[in-house]
Amino acid sequence: MEPAVLGGKLASSLIAPLVKRLFVADGPGAGLTDRPVRLSSLVSFKGEKRVLGEKDVRKLAEHFVERAMDSPGEHPFRSAERTAVADALARRLLALGDLDMDDVQAVRLGHRELARQLGHNAPAPDGLSTDARYFLDSATEWSCLQILEFFTRRSTFVARTLVEQTRAQAELIARIDELIARSPRPGAEDRSFERRYLPYVAERHNHITIYGIDLRDSPDRWPLEVAYLSLEATDDRAFPDDRADTAAVTRQLPAEEALLAYDRVLLRGDAGSGKTTLVQWLAVTAARDGDRIPYVLPLRTLIRTGQLPAPAAFLTAVGCPLSPPDGWTERVLTAGRALVLVDGLDEIPSADRHRTRDWLLSLIRAFPGNRWLLTSRPTAVRPDWLASEGFHELTLAPMRRPEVKTFVERWHAAAQAPEYEIPLLDSLRTKRDLARLATNPLMCGLICALHRERRGYLPTGRKELYDAALTMLLTRRDRERGMDTLEGTELGEEAQLEILQRLAYALVLSGRTEMDEETAEGIVERCLPTVAGQGDARTVLRDLLLRSGLLRQPADGVLDFVHRTFQDYLGARYAVEEGHLDVLTSRADDTQWEDVIRMGVAHARPRERVVLLRQLLSRDEPRLTLLALACLEHATALDPGVRAEVEERAAALIPPRSTRDAHAVAEAGPLVLELLPGPDGLTDEEARAVTVTASVLGAEEPAGALAVLRRFRAHPDLGVRRQLAGTWERFDTEEYAVEVLDQLLRDDLFLGCASPEQLAALRVMRPWHRLSVTGSHGLNRIVDAVVDPDSLEVLTLAGNHDVKSLYDLRAFRFLNRLSLRDCFEARDLGSLSELPLTDLSFGEIEDPSGLRVLHGLSRLSVNHQFPGGSLPDHLPLDSPLQYLYLGPETLAATGLRGLGHWPTLTTLSLDGVGDTLNDTDWQQVNSLPALQNLVLSTFPAYDALDSMPELPSITSLRLPDRYMAQHHVRTLSARLPGLRTVTVNPNDGEFPIDMYADLFPGARVTLYQP
């Protein structure tokens, strides 16, 4: 009979109800009080709980067989065997009561094995056909399947299962613990070693070292975590679509994040640019984070053994005293957990670089998934040297001014020498050649160390600084780092200088900063017999490129000096040695030669210095006189008479004594910034002129100008403070706000804001009480920019076409003075009535009608064309006005009609009087009992003067800067017999103050000083 047919006939719907009757009802609990529940206690025909007898079981089996035989389709066996099959099935079901196992064990056994055991315990059936036996076995299996299903649904089964599992787990844990105790866990030894190795790496590399200088009071090692700063790495790549007409773009990212963006990096950088320091930083941070195992592999150390190390020898090759477990490094690399930092490709001979490449690539291919960094100077290997292996090439960028500032701050913090920090920062800002030198950590560290060594002064004349830098770069740094010659050349310091200075002089003469490689080789070729060097010109030039730290290759076939200041220094050195003094002075008109001339004075002998300086003075030009003054810094030995002559000539220029002088001095260029004194010893006028000079030069040399202006930020004079506040736009917005503006004394000082950046910078400063905001900025943005709205007392809005409703100004609860200039859309003056306004000024606006409700005004300036009528129709009647300015638009519409309604007026200012005033208007003036001051911004026409009555109460008069005919002045003097003071706005030319003194015999005549 087919199994599928038999299975259909033995459906669970036939067996389940019959099987369920074999078992007693569930009891509570898991049966744990005596012994495990056995199957014999579950069946209802065995033991004390017998319900079904053997006869009943046999009836069930017979009923089951009958239903199977009566099902539609082919019979599973012959009908004659019906009774025998029922008897055999009954015997097997009765065998359940004889099984020595519990329900959990039965379920674990499975229905087929349970059926097999029932068949084994029951008497074997005799004389059954094959089909009958097959049916009997299948029926037994299906019955056992239903029995096990029944077991799993019982509540006691679940509880019992959990108990059994708990006991089994406890036994398993105990056995595992015993096994672990007998044999260590795999990896435990590795983790134990890493707990020692990672702190060792962090400690070993957590310092930076300055090689090549002698410092008595300064250590040569500094904590890395204090002195390190993030440098930028650049990546020149095309846009993703690689279109032919698409320009390359430069991506910049913090150098330490390079390995977060790329798994394989070739990092190029000039000498001292921070490559090794970056490697140390990556190693220290990885060791502390613990997410990667760092291996620092300096190639100059590895190559000495001849054979580059296999992973097992990584630590011994670099002198690590710790012994790792066998195979540890390979296991780290295989797991992709390593950070491999290979430093100094340029520090090994070129013959070994291809061998190094093969070694590195074999490691990468054998151990994928790790992170790899290789460092090199730019010219050591060709571009894309490892691009085919997935390496991204990045280049360390020169340090920018903010990074230099951060380096200096951290260096002095590490050195515990904060008193030297600010003077050095000022020197770096004002001395351009020094700033050009400080573009990498190496040179910054050298400058910081020398400055501290000399108690806050750089060497007398920068020649000593450059000499120290050249000695460090050319010989001592490589020697003290254990570097040997790379290409077989052995040139001493003087031989290298001889070649370099000839290259520099050729560039200086040509007025260029780059030279093609073929020209450079020709110059070197002519030098070699003189310096008695080894090797040909190409080899020598190549070695200078790699090791000197002074030359670089910005493009294929092109050379230049890493810093322009070294080119000027070395070029001047050669010019003086060759006696080319006339060449230097003949180029004095060219500002590009300023530093060359100054360095020429530094290299010259005393008599040669006299020649150079006298030739500069002989031209009698302010810029050359100031250049001679700047040269004195480098003239350690000089004829006293010449020094005195230079200083005397320059004293007429420095310090400037007026705004005109300041602009004249500024024409000499950024050189002046180094010469500007102050603020100590300067008068207020000189101090202001110095700040004007620095401000003018701010656009050309912002760093140097800022250093000068910083010195004046505590100056008390209002004129100086106004100049400092008024030159904000020439500098970096936030830097100037923090460095200068935030330090200014606020008394009587306005701060002007014109750009969104300047508004935003208000939030990094202490609150300002007086603000002037120019340009179209929404009032909500202005309010948001003011950190403390309650601190603002005076506000000027100028040229703002976005301002409409003034309602938002109510946020400034203590605003007492408001000026609206060219805010033509403004309206809702009445919304300001809740503010303590005492001073309001405005011109033409959209709607001035709310003006009448501002009852607290004591000063009012109006230049709005009202629709006729008189002044009381438009101005607040009950305001206690003491000062009133009426512009030409207002006077044209209303004249002075109704002016007598404000008897509290003490000052009346009139603009654009012309011939608009008549007798009636002047009578209104005459009716003001408290009026003492009259201000005329323009001269009245003669007819208007003729109609002016005598005003004896006027004691003070201010006149405009336009010249007035004498008979007009006499008429005015006659109408104002009570004058005690007359103030005149001077024009650009000479003002006839004596004539005015004669025309106002009873008054003191002065010129107006804003």
Side-chain angles (χ1 to χ4, degrees), residues 35-43 95-110 113-118 121 147-148 151 160:
R35 56 190 175 83
V37 177
R38 299 294 167 177
L39 292 179
S40 58
S41 67
L42 299 178
V43 296
L96 279 172
D98 298 324
L99 292 179
D100 186 21
M101 67 177 69
D102 57 31
D103 52 353
V104 175
Q105 292 171 334
V107 171
R108 189 181 302 128
L109 197 63
E113 182 61 24
L114 179 59
R116 191 189 65 78
Q117 292 199 22
L118 289 179
N121 291 346
I147 290 170
L148 298 186
F151 285 166
R160 184 62 193 167

Side-chain angles (χ1 to χ4, degrees), residues 84-356:
V85 171
D87 288 342
L89 180 59
R91 286 194 297 272
R92 290 188 176 184
L93 293 177
L94 288 170
L96 279 172
D98 298 324
L99 292 179
D100 186 21
M101 67 177 69
D102 57 31
D103 52 353
V104 175
Q105 292 171 334
V107 171
R108 189 181 302 128
L109 197 63
H111 71 281
R112 288 189 176 87
E113 182 61 24
L114 179 59
R116 191 189 65 78
Q117 292 199 22
L118 289 179
H120 177 74
N121 291 346
D126 295 328
L128 293 180
S129 65
T130 301
D131 286 344
R133 288 178 179 276
Y134 187 67
F135 174 84
L136 177 61
D137 291 340
S138 297
T140 304
E141 286 189 10
W142 278 88
S143 298
C144 288
L145 184 62
Q146 297 301 320
I147 290 170
L148 298 186
E149 173 66 19
F150 174 77
F151 285 166
T152 60
R153 294 181 180 181
R154 298 180 67 249
S155 59
T156 55
F157 172 81
V158 176
R160 184 62 193 167
T161 300
L162 293 176
V163 171
E164 288 293 330
Q165 287 178 350
T166 301
R167 289 175 177 172
Q169 288 174 356
E171 183 180 354
L172 178 62
I173 291 172
R175 291 179 179 178
I176 291 175
D177 288 342
E178 182 179 358
L179 180 63
I180 290 174
R182 293 178 180 176
S183 59
R185 289 171 292 172
E189 191 176 0
D190 287 357
R191 286 189 289 273
S192 176
F193 174 75
E194 289 170 12
R195 283 194 292 270
R196 297 166 54 216
Y197 174 72
L198 293 179
Y200 165 78
V201 171
E203 177 61 27
R204 177 176 180 179
H205 296 288
N206 190 27
H207 64 269
I208 59 175
T209 302
I210 301 176
Y211 292 98
I213 58 174
D214 294 318
L215 300 174
R216 295 185 303 275
D217 300 325
S218 300
D220 62 351
R221 291 162 60 96
W222 305 97
L224 177 67
E225 60 188 357
V226 176
Y228 179 78
L229 76 159
S230 175
L231 299 177
E232 291 288 321
T234 60
D235 181 13
D236 294 327
R237 299 200 170 271
F239 285 105
D241 58 5
D242 293 327
R243 292 175 298 177
D245 59 346
T246 301
V249 295
T250 298
R251 181 188 178 191
Q252 288 191 330
L253 69 164
E256 65 270 18
E257 295 181 10
L259 288 184
L260 297 180
Y262 309 116
D263 286 340
R264 302 175 185 179
V265 172
L266 172 58
L267 182 69
R268 299 179 187 262
D270 293 319
S273 60
K275 300 184 298 298
T276 299
T277 303
L278 174 62
V279 165
Q280 293 178 233
W281 181 257
L282 291 171
V284 170
T285 53
R288 289 179 175 172
D289 294 342
D291 57 340
R292 292 270 173 176
I293 305 299
Y295 299 93
V296 179
L297 304 175
L299 283 171
R300 63 178 179 272
T301 301
L302 303 183
I303 210 70
R304 290 173 186 163
T305 62
Q307 187 70 28
L308 291 167
F314 276 3
L315 301 193
T316 56
V318 296
C320 177
L322 303 178
S323 299
D326 290 341
W328 169 71
T329 304
E330 287 195 14
R331 288 192 292 275
V332 171
L333 290 167
T334 301
R337 298 171 54 221
L339 172 61
V340 185
L341 305 166
V342 183
D343 186 32
L345 182 64
D346 57 285
E347 297 176 356
I348 60 176
S350 57
D352 291 321
R353 289 174 196 151
H354 290 288
R355 182 162 62 96
T356 300

Side-chain angles (χ1 to χ4, degrees), residues 818-872:
L818 176 64
S819 177
L820 305 173
R821 298 202 305 265
D822 297 331
C823 299
F824 304 111
E825 305 296 324
R827 57 178 182 270
D828 291 344
L829 289 175
S831 64
L832 307 177
S833 61
E834 296 183 10
L835 298 178
L837 277 182
T838 59
D839 189 337
L840 177 64
S841 173
F842 66 90
E844 290 287 345
I845 62 175
E846 177 72 20
D847 181 10
S849 60
L851 175 62
R852 290 176 57 83
V853 302
L854 302 182
H855 305 304
L857 296 178
S858 60
R859 294 176 62 89
L860 178 62
S861 300
V862 184
N863 188 29
H864 182 85
Q865 188 170 8
F866 295 106
S870 62
L871 292 174

Side-chain angles (χ1 to χ4, degrees), residues 75 119 140 204 222 288 450 456 458 505 530 692 905 918 923 933 948:
H75 291 170
T140 304
R204 177 176 180 179
W222 305 97
R288 289 179 175 172
L450 290 175
L458 288 171
Y505 191 56
T530 304
V692 170
L905 280 174
N918 53 36
Q923 288 302 326
N933 309 303
M948 176 189 290

Side-chain angles (χ1 to χ4, degrees), residues 471 475-484:
T471 298
T475 56
R476 291 193 55 183
R477 184 166 181 260
D478 279 352
R479 184 173 66 247
E480 293 176 18
R481 296 169 72 206
M483 291 289 303
D484 298 323

Side-chain angles (χ1 to χ4, degrees), residues 955 976 978-982 996-1006:
T955 60
L976 305 174
L979 284 178
R980 296 292 179 266
T981 60
V982 175
Y996 273 71
D998 293 339
L999 295 175
F1000 295 99
R1004 182 170 61 91
V1005 180
T1006 61

